[in-house]
Short mmCIF file of all heavy atoms in Angstrom, two decimals:
data_model
loop_
_atom_site.label_atom_id
_atom_site.label_comp_id
_atom_site.label_asym_id
_atom_site.label_seq_id
_atom_site.Cartn_x
_atom_site.Cartn_y
_atom_site.Cartn_z
N GLN A 1 -188.75 79.80 -65.62
CA GLN A 1 -187.67 79.12 -64.90
C GLN A 1 -188.05 77.67 -64.59
O GLN A 1 -187.25 76.76 -64.77
CB GLN A 1 -187.37 79.87 -63.61
CG GLN A 1 -186.06 79.47 -62.97
CD GLN A 1 -185.80 80.22 -61.65
OE1 GLN A 1 -186.53 81.12 -61.29
NE2 GLN A 1 -184.81 79.74 -60.94
N LEU A 2 -189.29 77.49 -64.16
CA LEU A 2 -189.77 76.16 -63.85
C LEU A 2 -189.78 75.29 -65.12
O LEU A 2 -189.34 74.12 -65.08
CB LEU A 2 -191.17 76.20 -63.25
CG LEU A 2 -191.80 74.87 -62.92
CD1 LEU A 2 -191.08 74.18 -61.77
CD2 LEU A 2 -193.27 75.00 -62.59
N LEU A 3 -190.26 75.81 -66.21
CA LEU A 3 -190.30 75.04 -67.44
C LEU A 3 -188.88 74.67 -67.93
O LEU A 3 -188.66 73.60 -68.48
CB LEU A 3 -191.09 75.80 -68.52
CG LEU A 3 -192.57 76.01 -68.25
CD1 LEU A 3 -193.22 76.93 -69.27
CD2 LEU A 3 -193.33 74.69 -68.16
N HIS A 4 -187.97 75.61 -67.68
CA HIS A 4 -186.55 75.35 -68.01
C HIS A 4 -186.03 74.16 -67.20
O HIS A 4 -185.37 73.24 -67.69
CB HIS A 4 -185.73 76.60 -67.77
CG HIS A 4 -184.24 76.41 -68.00
ND1 HIS A 4 -183.75 76.14 -69.25
CD2 HIS A 4 -183.21 76.39 -67.13
CE1 HIS A 4 -182.42 76.03 -69.14
NE2 HIS A 4 -182.10 76.16 -67.88
N THR A 5 -186.34 74.17 -65.86
CA THR A 5 -185.95 73.06 -64.98
C THR A 5 -186.54 71.76 -65.43
O THR A 5 -185.87 70.72 -65.46
CB THR A 5 -186.37 73.38 -63.52
OG1 THR A 5 -185.80 74.60 -63.14
CG2 THR A 5 -185.90 72.28 -62.58
N ILE A 6 -187.85 71.78 -65.74
CA ILE A 6 -188.49 70.54 -66.22
C ILE A 6 -187.76 70.01 -67.49
O ILE A 6 -187.53 68.83 -67.61
CB ILE A 6 -190.00 70.79 -66.49
CG1 ILE A 6 -190.73 71.09 -65.22
CG2 ILE A 6 -190.63 69.58 -67.20
CD1 ILE A 6 -192.14 71.64 -65.39
N GLY A 7 -187.40 70.96 -68.37
CA GLY A 7 -186.67 70.62 -69.58
C GLY A 7 -185.34 69.97 -69.31
O GLY A 7 -184.97 68.98 -69.93
N LEU A 8 -184.63 70.49 -68.30
CA LEU A 8 -183.33 69.95 -67.91
C LEU A 8 -183.45 68.53 -67.32
O LEU A 8 -182.69 67.64 -67.65
CB LEU A 8 -182.66 70.86 -66.85
CG LEU A 8 -181.95 72.13 -67.37
CD1 LEU A 8 -181.41 72.91 -66.20
CD2 LEU A 8 -180.83 71.78 -68.34
N VAL A 9 -184.47 68.39 -66.43
CA VAL A 9 -184.68 67.09 -65.84
C VAL A 9 -185.02 66.04 -66.92
O VAL A 9 -184.56 64.93 -66.93
CB VAL A 9 -185.81 67.11 -64.76
CG1 VAL A 9 -186.19 65.74 -64.26
CG2 VAL A 9 -185.35 67.99 -63.58
N LYS A 10 -185.87 66.45 -67.87
CA LYS A 10 -186.25 65.56 -68.99
C LYS A 10 -185.02 65.16 -69.79
O LYS A 10 -184.87 64.03 -70.19
CB LYS A 10 -187.28 66.31 -69.86
CG LYS A 10 -187.85 65.49 -70.98
CD LYS A 10 -188.90 66.29 -71.76
CE LYS A 10 -189.34 65.58 -73.04
NZ LYS A 10 -190.27 64.50 -72.82
N LYS A 11 -184.17 66.13 -70.04
CA LYS A 11 -182.99 65.90 -70.90
C LYS A 11 -181.95 64.98 -70.21
O LYS A 11 -181.38 64.10 -70.81
CB LYS A 11 -182.33 67.26 -71.22
CG LYS A 11 -181.34 67.24 -72.35
CD LYS A 11 -181.05 68.65 -72.75
CE LYS A 11 -179.60 68.80 -73.24
NZ LYS A 11 -179.29 70.24 -73.41
N ARG A 12 -181.75 65.19 -68.90
CA ARG A 12 -180.62 64.54 -68.21
C ARG A 12 -181.02 63.39 -67.28
O ARG A 12 -180.23 62.53 -67.08
CB ARG A 12 -179.86 65.58 -67.40
CG ARG A 12 -179.23 66.66 -68.29
CD ARG A 12 -178.41 67.62 -67.52
NE ARG A 12 -177.95 68.69 -68.42
CZ ARG A 12 -177.47 69.83 -68.02
NH1 ARG A 12 -177.38 70.12 -66.76
NH2 ARG A 12 -177.04 70.71 -68.90
N LEU A 13 -182.25 63.45 -66.74
CA LEU A 13 -182.56 62.50 -65.69
C LEU A 13 -183.80 61.61 -65.93
O LEU A 13 -183.88 60.48 -65.52
CB LEU A 13 -182.76 63.23 -64.34
CG LEU A 13 -181.56 64.03 -63.80
CD1 LEU A 13 -181.99 64.94 -62.65
CD2 LEU A 13 -180.45 63.12 -63.38
N ASN A 14 -184.80 62.22 -66.59
CA ASN A 14 -186.08 61.46 -66.78
C ASN A 14 -186.65 61.82 -68.15
O ASN A 14 -187.51 62.72 -68.28
CB ASN A 14 -187.05 61.88 -65.64
CG ASN A 14 -188.42 61.11 -65.79
OD1 ASN A 14 -188.57 60.27 -66.66
ND2 ASN A 14 -189.35 61.45 -64.93
N PRO A 15 -186.23 61.08 -69.20
CA PRO A 15 -186.63 61.43 -70.58
C PRO A 15 -188.16 61.34 -70.78
O PRO A 15 -188.69 61.87 -71.76
CB PRO A 15 -185.92 60.42 -71.44
CG PRO A 15 -185.42 59.36 -70.52
CD PRO A 15 -185.28 59.96 -69.17
N ASN A 16 -188.84 60.65 -69.85
CA ASN A 16 -190.32 60.48 -70.03
C ASN A 16 -191.15 61.62 -69.41
O ASN A 16 -192.37 61.61 -69.49
CB ASN A 16 -190.76 59.14 -69.39
CG ASN A 16 -190.05 57.98 -70.04
OD1 ASN A 16 -189.84 57.97 -71.26
ND2 ASN A 16 -189.62 56.98 -69.24
N LEU A 17 -190.46 62.58 -68.76
CA LEU A 17 -191.21 63.64 -68.07
C LEU A 17 -191.88 64.61 -69.04
O LEU A 17 -191.27 65.06 -70.00
CB LEU A 17 -190.25 64.40 -67.14
CG LEU A 17 -190.88 65.44 -66.21
CD1 LEU A 17 -191.74 64.75 -65.16
CD2 LEU A 17 -189.77 66.26 -65.53
N ASP A 18 -193.13 64.93 -68.73
CA ASP A 18 -193.85 65.91 -69.55
C ASP A 18 -194.57 66.88 -68.60
O ASP A 18 -194.77 66.62 -67.44
CB ASP A 18 -194.89 65.23 -70.43
CG ASP A 18 -194.25 64.68 -71.72
OD1 ASP A 18 -193.47 65.42 -72.32
OD2 ASP A 18 -194.51 63.51 -72.06
N VAL A 19 -195.03 67.98 -69.20
CA VAL A 19 -195.86 68.91 -68.47
C VAL A 19 -197.33 68.45 -68.61
O VAL A 19 -197.85 68.35 -69.69
CB VAL A 19 -195.71 70.34 -69.00
CG1 VAL A 19 -196.64 71.31 -68.22
CG2 VAL A 19 -194.29 70.85 -68.83
N GLU A 20 -197.92 68.16 -67.47
CA GLU A 20 -199.28 67.71 -67.41
C GLU A 20 -200.21 68.83 -67.85
O GLU A 20 -201.15 68.68 -68.63
CB GLU A 20 -199.65 67.30 -65.96
CG GLU A 20 -201.08 66.99 -65.67
CD GLU A 20 -201.49 65.60 -66.07
OE1 GLU A 20 -200.60 64.74 -66.27
OE2 GLU A 20 -202.66 65.37 -66.22
N GLY A 21 -199.87 70.05 -67.37
CA GLY A 21 -200.71 71.22 -67.73
C GLY A 21 -200.61 72.27 -66.61
O GLY A 21 -200.03 72.06 -65.56
N VAL A 22 -201.16 73.42 -66.93
CA VAL A 22 -201.23 74.55 -66.00
C VAL A 22 -202.64 74.68 -65.50
O VAL A 22 -203.61 74.56 -66.24
CB VAL A 22 -200.80 75.83 -66.75
CG1 VAL A 22 -201.15 77.08 -65.92
CG2 VAL A 22 -199.33 75.79 -67.07
N VAL A 23 -202.76 74.90 -64.17
CA VAL A 23 -204.11 75.13 -63.63
C VAL A 23 -204.09 76.47 -62.89
O VAL A 23 -203.17 76.78 -62.13
CB VAL A 23 -204.56 73.98 -62.69
CG1 VAL A 23 -203.64 73.76 -61.50
CG2 VAL A 23 -205.97 74.19 -62.21
N PHE A 24 -205.05 77.32 -63.22
CA PHE A 24 -205.14 78.62 -62.59
C PHE A 24 -205.84 78.52 -61.21
O PHE A 24 -206.87 77.87 -61.07
CB PHE A 24 -205.97 79.58 -63.51
CG PHE A 24 -205.22 79.93 -64.76
CD1 PHE A 24 -205.62 79.38 -65.96
CD2 PHE A 24 -204.15 80.80 -64.72
CE1 PHE A 24 -204.95 79.66 -67.12
CE2 PHE A 24 -203.44 81.09 -65.89
CZ PHE A 24 -203.89 80.56 -67.09
N THR A 25 -205.23 79.21 -60.22
CA THR A 25 -205.80 79.18 -58.87
C THR A 25 -206.06 80.62 -58.41
O THR A 25 -205.54 81.57 -58.99
CB THR A 25 -204.79 78.53 -57.90
OG1 THR A 25 -203.58 79.29 -57.86
CG2 THR A 25 -204.47 77.06 -58.30
N MET A 26 -206.85 80.71 -57.34
CA MET A 26 -207.15 81.99 -56.71
C MET A 26 -207.69 83.02 -57.70
O MET A 26 -207.31 84.18 -57.70
CB MET A 26 -205.89 82.59 -56.02
CG MET A 26 -205.30 81.58 -55.02
SD MET A 26 -203.85 82.23 -54.20
CE MET A 26 -203.04 80.72 -53.70
N TYR A 27 -208.58 82.54 -58.52
CA TYR A 27 -209.16 83.41 -59.58
C TYR A 27 -210.30 84.24 -58.93
O TYR A 27 -211.16 83.73 -58.25
CB TYR A 27 -209.76 82.53 -60.68
CG TYR A 27 -210.37 83.31 -61.81
CD1 TYR A 27 -209.60 83.80 -62.85
CD2 TYR A 27 -211.77 83.53 -61.87
CE1 TYR A 27 -210.15 84.49 -63.89
CE2 TYR A 27 -212.29 84.25 -62.93
CZ TYR A 27 -211.51 84.73 -63.94
OH TYR A 27 -212.06 85.44 -64.97
N ASP A 28 -210.20 85.56 -59.17
CA ASP A 28 -211.22 86.44 -58.66
C ASP A 28 -211.99 87.05 -59.83
O ASP A 28 -211.47 87.92 -60.57
CB ASP A 28 -210.56 87.55 -57.83
CG ASP A 28 -211.60 88.39 -57.06
OD1 ASP A 28 -212.78 88.36 -57.46
OD2 ASP A 28 -211.21 89.11 -56.11
N ALA A 29 -213.21 86.62 -60.04
CA ALA A 29 -214.00 87.02 -61.16
C ALA A 29 -214.31 88.52 -61.18
O ALA A 29 -214.63 89.11 -62.23
CB ALA A 29 -215.30 86.22 -61.24
N ARG A 30 -214.16 89.15 -59.99
CA ARG A 30 -214.49 90.61 -59.92
C ARG A 30 -213.37 91.49 -60.47
O ARG A 30 -213.58 92.67 -60.63
CB ARG A 30 -214.76 90.98 -58.45
CG ARG A 30 -215.95 90.26 -57.85
CD ARG A 30 -215.98 90.41 -56.38
NE ARG A 30 -214.72 89.93 -55.76
CZ ARG A 30 -214.45 89.96 -54.47
NH1 ARG A 30 -215.37 90.45 -53.64
NH2 ARG A 30 -213.33 89.54 -54.00
N THR A 31 -212.19 90.94 -60.69
CA THR A 31 -211.07 91.81 -61.12
C THR A 31 -210.72 91.55 -62.57
O THR A 31 -210.73 90.38 -63.05
CB THR A 31 -209.81 91.54 -60.27
OG1 THR A 31 -209.36 90.19 -60.51
CG2 THR A 31 -210.08 91.72 -58.77
N ASN A 32 -210.38 92.60 -63.26
CA ASN A 32 -209.92 92.46 -64.64
C ASN A 32 -208.57 91.74 -64.68
O ASN A 32 -208.24 91.07 -65.65
CB ASN A 32 -209.75 93.84 -65.30
CG ASN A 32 -211.14 94.43 -65.69
OD1 ASN A 32 -212.04 93.64 -65.99
ND2 ASN A 32 -211.24 95.73 -65.70
N LEU A 33 -207.79 91.95 -63.60
CA LEU A 33 -206.44 91.39 -63.56
C LEU A 33 -206.46 89.86 -63.74
O LEU A 33 -205.70 89.32 -64.53
CB LEU A 33 -205.71 91.75 -62.26
CG LEU A 33 -204.28 91.19 -62.13
CD1 LEU A 33 -203.37 91.78 -63.21
CD2 LEU A 33 -203.74 91.52 -60.75
N SER A 34 -207.34 89.17 -63.00
CA SER A 34 -207.41 87.74 -63.09
C SER A 34 -207.66 87.30 -64.53
O SER A 34 -207.01 86.40 -65.07
CB SER A 34 -208.56 87.19 -62.19
OG SER A 34 -208.14 87.14 -60.86
N LEU A 35 -208.60 87.97 -65.15
CA LEU A 35 -208.91 87.67 -66.54
C LEU A 35 -207.73 87.89 -67.48
O LEU A 35 -207.41 87.09 -68.33
CB LEU A 35 -210.09 88.54 -67.00
CG LEU A 35 -210.78 88.16 -68.32
CD1 LEU A 35 -211.38 86.76 -68.24
CD2 LEU A 35 -211.87 89.19 -68.67
N GLN A 36 -207.02 89.02 -67.26
CA GLN A 36 -205.84 89.34 -68.09
C GLN A 36 -204.75 88.31 -67.93
O GLN A 36 -204.10 87.93 -68.88
CB GLN A 36 -205.30 90.73 -67.68
CG GLN A 36 -206.10 91.88 -68.24
CD GLN A 36 -205.76 93.21 -67.56
OE1 GLN A 36 -204.86 93.27 -66.74
NE2 GLN A 36 -206.48 94.24 -67.92
N VAL A 37 -204.52 87.86 -66.66
CA VAL A 37 -203.47 86.87 -66.43
C VAL A 37 -203.79 85.57 -67.18
O VAL A 37 -202.91 85.00 -67.84
CB VAL A 37 -203.32 86.58 -64.92
CG1 VAL A 37 -202.41 85.39 -64.65
CG2 VAL A 37 -202.74 87.78 -64.21
#
């Protein structure tokens, strides 16, 4: 949904907008789930 919004803003309001990147937070090395995500 967020990427869709960024796409809409880029198309209609700010053609120079890009995705800088994704950063993972709250990573718990003890769980398989963090690794899977």
